[in-house]
Amino acid sequence: MIKRTKASISKAILHKVGNKFNSTKNAFSEQELEFDEVSYDLMLGYLLRPFGSLVESYRFNHHSNISLNEINTYATQLFADESNFIDLSKHVVTHLFEQSNSAQIKTGDVLVCVFEDIQYDDMFVKAIGIFKIENRSEFFQTYLENQSYDLITQKGIPTKKVDKGCLILNTSDTEGNIILSVDNNSYDTQYWIKNFLNIKYPDDHNQHTKNYIELCRDFSEDVLKPSLGLQEKSTFLAKTIDFFKENEVVNVENFKEDVFNDDKYKALFDDYKKGFETDHALIIRNQFDVSENVLKKQRQKIKTEIKLDTNIQIKLDVDAPDASVEYLERGYDDLKKMHYYKVFFNEES
């Protein structure tokens, strides 16, 4: 998560990236961009806005030696000496071009920038930004001719969101430079994250919190919902969020004791956790600190509605894990041959 209150663009250049799969070529600029005041303010917000709400970060990765990661190498050289900015930006685009191994990969504009004074964890740091703009929008341009106004249709870059972008911060931890990334096109995520940037999640409390809540969400869907129903699924998720809210440190054994009443489901959870780790190529720590920022974002993704085939929905409060146990009963009516829910309450509003 960054703040851009004092951030500025010190260098920027625009190139065109092709696709070697369909033989479209790169086109390189030889000069840096020069902004007027209006376009500068618009560009600064357009490029940095997507990173303001990001919680998870990445680190550079390589199967043998991190110094062989191409983008890591270019960023390191640029942080050390900005005199080669234009040449290094061309290397970045060439490396991006080399990853276009399918017709799905879109051509587009590539912006490479150097930012000053981006705030990250109470520090003001330099950052290198790489942005790929793939989608263009049509808009009307009006003009005056022969004392009458007319209009033409043109295509340009929309200013609402960046298609793909990353910020490489000039600050690091034990695992390397901190990297933020956004990708609003889900059809080619491996192309940007894995092939081009070659980055991975760090071994930190943000990622541990995210992994564990995702594990619980998948377990509730794949195991609890089929065997116990939507009410138990929702109750489990509410208990999970409540446990994370009440504990600064998550201990896996304490978690299972708190949320499961039946040892059978503790064992099922352990087995599911092993499969989840294998499928996602990660390790769930047995104890880790809770990230409040990640917890807040993950909580918003949890759905606790019970949708019935009679066009009725029951929405359970994820912050009240005991409510469905105390005030909601599920049963079966032999006369109607239908399941039912009985809801207890004092007042309605």
Side-chain angles (χ1 to χ4, degrees), residues 204-206 208-209 244 247-250 287-292:
D204 67 3
H205 71 301
N206 290 318
H208 298 327
T209 302
F244 274 72
N247 294 273
E248 294 182 356
V249 177
V250 168
Q287 184 164 302
F288 56 89
D289 294 336
V290 173
S291 167
E292 292 185 7

Side-chain angles (χ1 to χ4, degrees), residues 12 86 113 134 163 168 175 183 189 217 226 291 300 304 315:
I86 294 177
C113 306
E134 300 175 328
D163 290 310
I168 305 163
E175 296 184 69
D183 187 351
T189 52
R217 191 167 61 233
S291 167
Q300 295 170 350
T304 55
K315 185 175 181 179

Side-chain angles (χ1 to χ4, degrees), residues 82-281:
E82 293 184 12
S83 63
N84 291 325
F85 172 70
I86 294 177
D87 287 339
L88 288 172
S89 71
K90 292 179 182 180
H91 293 329
V92 168
V93 174
T94 300
H95 176 59
L96 182 61
F97 175 81
E98 289 300 322
Q99 312 315 312
S100 56
N101 293 314
S102 82
Q104 276 192 315
I105 306 302
K106 295 181 179 180
T107 60
D109 301 305
V110 178
L111 272 164
V112 181
C113 306
V114 177
F115 296 96
E116 306 287 343
D117 293 326
I118 288 179
Q119 186 174 349
Y120 179 81
D121 281 352
D122 298 324
M123 299 180 294
F124 290 92
V125 300
K126 181 177 289 190
I128 296 168
I130 305 170
F131 307 89
K132 186 185 178 192
I133 301 157
E134 300 175 328
N135 297 306
R136 290 176 169 266
S137 297
E138 292 183 338
F139 65 92
F140 293 113
Q141 177 68 51
T142 60
Y143 64 96
L144 180 64
E145 186 176 16
N146 297 328
Q147 297 183 334
S148 295
Y149 283 100
D150 206 342
L151 57 83
I152 57 174
T153 303
Q154 294 182 325
K155 279 191 174 183
I157 298 171
T159 59
K160 288 187 176 180
K161 65 179 181 180
V162 172
D163 290 310
K164 289 175 168 59
C166 75
L167 282 181
I168 305 163
L169 305 184
N170 193 21
T171 186
S172 61
D173 56 18
T174 56
E175 296 184 69
N177 282 81
I178 294 164
I179 305 156
L180 305 175
S181 179
V182 293
D183 187 351
N184 287 305
N185 295 330
S186 58
Y187 64 87
D188 58 356
T189 52
Q190 293 300 304
Y191 156 72
W192 182 256
I193 292 290
K194 184 177 180 180
N195 299 337
F196 172 58
L197 295 173
N198 194 2
I199 52 179
K200 64 178 182 179
Y201 285 119
D203 186 15
D204 67 3
H205 71 301
N206 290 318
Q207 195 57 34
H208 298 327
T209 302
K210 178 176 180 287
N211 289 342
Y212 203 83
I213 294 177
E214 288 182 348
L215 161 66
C216 292
R217 191 167 61 233
D218 288 1
F219 176 77
S220 72
E221 180 68 25
D222 296 340
V223 178
L224 297 182
K225 178 182 173 182
S227 60
L228 298 176
L230 282 167
Q231 182 181 358
E232 288 299 324
K233 170 194 169 182
S234 299
T235 300
F236 168 75
L237 290 175
K239 285 184 175 180
T240 297
I241 295 300
D242 191 60
F243 185 87
F244 274 72
K245 286 166 57 180
E246 296 297 324
N247 294 273
E248 294 182 356
V249 177
V250 168
N251 178 281
V252 173
E253 294 303 318
N254 292 342
F255 171 81
K256 290 188 295 183
E257 288 295 324
D258 190 87
V259 301
F260 294 116
N261 297 321
D262 190 336
D263 288 342
K264 168 188 173 183
Y265 288 97
K266 294 179 186 177
L268 287 174
F269 185 79
D270 286 337
D271 290 340
Y272 191 89
K273 175 175 171 287
K274 293 176 183 177
F276 184 89
E277 290 174 317
T278 301
D279 292 343
H280 294 80

